[in-house]
Amino acid sequence: MPTSPIGRDTPRVDGPLKVSGKAQYASDFHFPGMLYAVPVGATIANGRVLKLDTAAAQKMPGVRAVFHRENIGKIFRSIQGPGFAGIIDERRPPFEDDVVRYYGQYIALAVADTFETAKAAADVVRVTYAEEKPNVDTELKADDEPDVVATTFSMRERLQSQRGDADAAFTRAPVMLDQTYVTPAETHNPIELHATTAVWDGSTLTLYEGSQGVFNLRGILAQMFGLPIESVRVITRFLGSGFGGKLWPWTHCPLAAAAARQLGKPVQLVVSRKMMFQTTGHRARTQQRVRLGATAEGKLVSLQHDYVYHRSMLDAHHEDCGEATAFQYSVPNLRVTFGRAKRNVGSTVDMRGPGAVPGLYATESAMNELAEQLNIDPVRLRVINEPKIDEELGIPFSSRHLLECFELGAEKFGWSRRTPAVGSMKRDGLTLGWGMAGCTWIAARFPAEASVQLRDDGTARVACGTQDIGTGTYTILAQLASEKTGVPLGKVEVALGDTSLPEGPLSGGSMVTGSVVPAVFAAADSAIASLLTVATGTPGSPFEKRNPDELAFEDGRVFVKADGAGAAVPFADVLRRANLRLVTGSGKSEATFGNPKPKFSTHSFGCHFVEVTWQPEIARLRVSRVVTVMDAGRILNPLAGRNQIEGAVVMGIGMALLEHTSYDRRTGAPINSNLADYVVAVNADVPPIDVHFLDFPDMEINALGARGIGEIGLAGIAAAITDAVHHATGVRVRELPVKIEHLLG
Ligand code: MOS
């Protein structure tokens, strides 16, 4: 009896392709006659282009064209569609006007026979500007805006959430905390650069693109080129990650497609690392005021969370820092509001755990500070304020086990040995700091379609037009198909990342796994039903003249229920006898995300316990140990799951101690726009990370009880680290990242 692949540590099925270099990323596709495009970015952040001098560039041998507003041809605007269609953070088509609104905005495009020539040509394009002073101020004050504002996804009330009377309750509260927390602009730095390879065949456009959402990209590009949707195909076989930066289309993609159209040749455009700091999004800078009122015993009586974030001049990505605020703790009086401040920066966009990650940094930091003020243990403070239901929606949680997370985390970490006084814990001559925080993230489903085939050689194929951003989606799909069909993992072919496949979910919101379970299961059931019909309809079949209802399918074999599995026949035999290569089933499942009337509040939960070591003599701060516990439903692949959470914790170390994008006040340029100056956590920064999963399947999400785990690991970790820093050093840093100069005091 083969054992189920669900819940087993399963190495990546695509691992061999990756380590052997056979996995093709967007810029690995090459075509005869393909040309290379390199954009010219504005070197001002505010103003107008007066004149472009392309003469020198055009004269270079091997240069095919230098495109700009006058000769790129038509690139139309796009609009949002129903559901999750038509989403883009930078809506303005490239080159639409001569206004420059952020540093690096594309104003021309050099195309040549080689990448090197195109780069050299782009470098000699001379631009004359009418320059105005850019606004990249880091101090954020909400712009004067109406109470309801348009955002990328939808209209939003700036009074995001309200219950009771938060002001009055705060004023009367025996214990009060009023602090402001700041998170910097952060830039996504996946190893794979953004890239487009655009190929026209008559009026059909194929895009090889690093995309976390191939169907959305297809819809947008079809609009931009005025094409029927079926005339555009987007292929993303592999992604060298994205972290949200590749969720929505960026301007390089229509530029590559337009250049390919104008020249009648395939065109490849790879966005440089430096340009990725300018033109492919970043996490917004946030400034968040948190006010907490509590009783002397630590019961919250009031919570106010007022946040402001920066955005680009034209676009309205919503950084929802209040995503978790209204349900994470029990509090009768609450108010959450937001405001936005326009800056001369490129569009902001989702970045791993958008909204909730900066938001929970603020609210969890405030909880830790309140615990100190009350002189009670920070875990205890959270236990006291654990809600019985989602007080925002007034409905129960589908599965909330945050207290069990704290319990297990505290035990594994040894939290009971913590002595709260600053600098009171030592080991091997180092000062220790211990901190903790809780976290949460959305658990829901996007709509999904999938197909499953059973084939006459005993193999199966599962197809779904979702993407694997490096997180293990190929493997999960293989596991799901194997579970239902009984075909061993090694004999399951997985196809994804292509708009010619059944429409799959965006690789966003950590929702792919939860979303694809019902669609793949339904597709497998449908393929099996088809197989059973074949079994009963094939002359000479042992099941001939039976009714399909009398048959069972288990572990890849067909048998008569009444006879038991003893005389079971492999499905490949059934197909061969019928002279069929394959049977196919399709499956489809609906979204739960965005449901206006949910019966349950569905989220994942978790916590981090962190140790830092501090050497005041040399101002050396290290994260030395992390214990993370996640309540994320049933984990389908614990190996990939742990890997996800470890990666998120590493990113959290970067968020707390290293990452920030700095804009030059004079030019508006992101000045640390390279991997030497934009410092992310690397192996040397990574301590032992002890990840644990609770096992509470959430049956509201799907039949396996699986929620997602890509993003939640980054939520809360920065608050845990800064609390540990305070415990070690006595310094409360409320503006990330923690810098040595903060600690030299
Ligand atoms: Mo995630 S920021 O939804 O890719």
Side-chain angles (χ1 to χ4, degrees):
M1 202 54 157
T3 45
S4 168
I6 301 297
R8 291 164 69 90
D9 280 348
T10 307
R12 305 296 171 89
V13 297
D14 50 333
L17 286 176
K18 287 190 169 174
V19 297
S20 63
K22 291 196 185 104
Q24 281 185 291
Y25 297 80
S27 63
D28 291 331
F29 290 88
H30 295 278
F31 299 93
M34 191 172 87
L35 304 174
Y36 297 82
V38 172
V40 178
T43 54
I44 64 168
N46 188 18
R48 276 183 36 229
V49 176
L50 295 180
K51 190 164 161 277
L52 274 172
D53 178 359
T54 60
Q58 276 173 307
K59 276 200 226 85
M60 285 185 173
V63 170
R64 298 296 183 110
V66 181
F67 292 112
H68 45 80
R69 281 189 68 208
E70 309 296 330
N71 63 357
I72 189 73
K74 196 70 194 161
I75 305 177
F76 294 98
R77 278 193 167 250
S78 61
I79 55 167
Q80 200 176 342
F84 305 95
I87 300 168
I88 184 167
D89 266 313
E90 185 167 343
R91 187 69 72 174
R92 172 189 173 276
F95 301 178
E96 191 184 48
D97 56 24
D98 61 7
V99 181
V100 175
R101 298 175 179 86
Y102 61 89
Y103 191 98
Q105 179 186 313
Y106 300 142
I107 52 177
L109 184 75
V111 185
D113 293 339
T114 66
F115 168 77
E116 291 75 10
T117 307
K119 173 78 172 82
D123 286 348
V124 298
V125 172
R126 291 284 159 260
V127 190
T128 314
Y129 301 99
E131 187 176 0
E132 288 169 51
K133 194 178 159 18
N135 178 358
V136 291
D137 282 357
T138 50
E139 185 63 30
L140 302 181
K141 186 173 156 299
D143 292 338
D144 196 8
E145 289 198 278
D147 294 343
V148 181
V149 294
T151 72
T152 295
F153 291 97
S154 59
M155 300 300 290
R156 291 269 185 164
E157 286 185 50
R158 291 178 53 200
L159 175 55
Q160 183 171 353
S161 189
Q162 176 160 250
R163 58 182 180 256
D165 185 340
D167 272 320
F170 179 70
T171 313
R172 284 196 308 267
V175 182
M176 296 159 139
L177 175 133
D178 181 354
Q179 293 293 356
T180 297
Y181 302 90
V182 174
T183 63
E186 294 172 326
T187 303
H188 316 66
N189 272 289
I191 292 303
E192 183 205 14
L193 303 169
H194 284 261
T196 303
T197 304
V199 185
W200 288 86
D201 178 5
S203 59
T204 302
L205 171 63
T206 303
L207 295 158
Y208 300 85
E209 176 79 26
S211 171
Q212 291 175 239
V214 293
F215 281 90
N216 181 69
L217 184 83
R218 178 183 70 164
I220 291 278
L221 267 287
Q223 291 189 62
M224 291 182 117
F225 288 91
L227 295 170
I229 196 129
E230 62 274 17
S231 298
V232 181
R233 182 177 176 195
V234 179
I235 294 172
T236 302
R237 297 273 184 242
F238 290 92
L239 269 162
S241 201
F243 303 115
K246 293 172 183 168
L247 270 171
W248 320 119
W250 293 109
T251 49
H252 65 267
C253 181
L255 280 184
R261 173 187 62 187
Q262 301 306 88
L263 293 167
K265 301 262 189 201
V267 168
Q268 183 168 95
L269 192 165
V270 178
V271 180
S272 70
R273 182 66 60 183
K274 182 171 186 165
M275 284 176 179
M276 278 176 51
F277 282 81
Q278 303 162 351
T279 61
T280 56
H282 63 278
R283 194 201 293 276
R285 181 179 181 87
T286 77
Q287 195 171 300
Q288 307 176 55
R289 183 179 183 192
V290 182
R291 276 170 284 182
L292 300 178
T295 66
E297 294 75 40
K299 181 74 199 74
L300 287 175
V301 293
S302 177
L303 194 175
Q304 296 172 78
H305 187 188
D306 302 292
Y307 61 96
V308 185
Y309 55 82
H310 85 195
R311 61 157 171 150
S312 65
M313 287 294 161
L314 293 182
D315 301 298
H317 164 76
H318 179 50
E319 188 67 25
D320 188 1
C321 298
E323 199 259 320
T325 310
F327 68 79
Q328 188 69 339
Y329 296 110
S330 175
V331 58
N333 304 289
L334 169 139
R335 193 181 63 219
V336 182
T337 71
F338 76 89
R340 317 180 290 184
K342 279 189 182 175
R343 292 291 181 266
N344 289 108
V345 296
S347 181
T348 55
V349 67
D350 294 309
M351 182 169 174
R352 203 175 197 168
V357 162
L360 283 161
Y361 159 66
T363 53
E364 288 297 293
S365 291
M367 287 295 278
N368 286 335
E369 292 201 52
L370 181 67
E372 191 201 12
Q373 233 174 292
L374 290 162
N375 198 22
I376 65 177
D377 186 277
V379 176
R380 174 89 195 119
L381 179 65
R382 288 166 171 87
V383 173
I384 292 171
N385 291 290
E386 172 71 7
K388 290 198 168 55
I389 62 165
D390 178 332
E391 295 179 1
E392 160 83 344
L393 299 176
I395 54 176
F397 290 104
S398 56
S399 177
R400 173 168 168 136
H401 299 276
L402 182 58
L403 297 189
E404 290 95 325
C405 291
F406 291 141
E407 204 174 316
L408 183 65
E411 180 204 316
K412 296 287 177 191
F413 189 82
W415 186 253
S416 62
R417 297 195 304 277
R418 181 178 188 260
T419 55
V422 166
S424 63
M425 297 181 72
K426 309 268 182 196
R427 188 180 63 220
D428 303 334
L430 305 173
T431 305
L432 300 184
W434 284 10
M436 60 78 57
C439 60
T440 179
W441 182 249
I442 310 160
R445 293 196 329 247
F446 283 128
E449 294 174 30
S451 71
V452 169
Q453 291 179 339
L454 299 170
R455 303 190 288 210
D456 68 341
D457 54 2
T459 64
R461 177 181 187 265
V462 56
C464 178
T466 187
Q467 306 70 215
D468 189 331
I469 66 169
T471 48
T473 304
Y474 275 106
T475 310
I476 291 286
L477 283 168
Q479 287 177 277
L480 294 175
S482 173
E483 166 76 3
K484 290 291 280 190
T485 62
V487 174
L489 281 176
K491 290 188 171 184
V492 179
E493 180 195 342
V494 183
L496 45 74
D498 188 337
T499 53
S500 67
L501 301 173
E503 183 158 351
L506 290 161
S507 296
S510 304
M511 293 202 274
V512 168
T513 296
S515 302
V516 297
V517 169
V520 172
F521 278 14
D525 284 338
S526 155
I528 291 163
S530 180
L531 177 84
L532 298 186
T533 305
V534 167
T536 56
T538 306
S541 153
F543 310 109
E544 194 188 356
K545 303 210 173 71
R546 293 275 183 178
N547 188 310
D549 293 350
E550 298 169 60
L551 304 186
F553 179 94
E554 263 174 37
D555 293 323
R557 301 157 83 88
V558 181
F559 56 91
V560 178
K561 283 179 203 163
D563 299 348
V569 178
F571 71 78
D573 292 357
V574 173
L575 291 171
R576 280 198 300 267
R577 189 184 289 271
N579 192 28
L580 283 171
R581 165 63 176 144
L582 49 86
V583 284
T584 301
S586 298
K588 185 174 173 150
S589 55
E590 303 302 325
T592 63
F593 184 62
N595 178 357
K597 284 214 158 102
K599 286 210 281 294
F600 292 95
S601 173
T602 55
H603 304 271
S604 284
F605 298 93
C607 66
H608 305 278
F609 288 82
V610 170
E611 178 184 272
V612 300
T613 60
W614 170 236
Q615 291 168 269
E617 305 81 3
I618 55 168
R620 188 168 201 256
L621 181 78
R622 308 283 295 166
V623 176
S624 49
R625 195 157 68 87
V626 178
V627 172
T628 295
V629 183
M630 289 292 150
D631 164 31
R634 186 159 179 214
I635 304 301
L636 302 189
N637 182 356
L639 187 65
R642 273 194 305 277
N643 182 248
Q644 276 290 291
I645 299 301
E646 286 166 0
V649 166
V650 173
M651 201 164 170
I653 292 171
M655 177 184 176
L657 305 180
L658 303 167
E659 286 195 50
H660 63 109
T661 309
S662 298
Y663 296 87
D664 186 319
R665 287 179 167 275
R666 296 158 301 177
T667 63
I671 42 179
N672 54 341
S673 55
N674 57 74
L675 286 177
D677 296 315
Y678 185 91
V679 185
V680 299
V682 297
N683 274 348
D685 300 300
V686 178
I689 302 170
D690 187 15
V691 177
H692 298 271
F693 292 112
L694 303 185
D695 186 21
F696 293 102
D698 186 342
M699 305 317 284
E700 282 304 308
I701 304 292
N702 52 51
L704 293 177
R707 303 196 290 221
I709 41 174
E711 291 165 275
I712 187 169
L714 182 56
I717 178 83
I721 293 172
T722 51
D723 199 43
V725 169
H726 170 262
H727 186 222
T729 67
V731 181
R732 280 276 175 211
V733 179
R734 300 188 186 91
E735 176 165 353
L736 296 183
V738 176
K739 294 179 181 153
I740 291 301
E741 49 267 42
H742 290 133
L743 306 181
L744 293 176

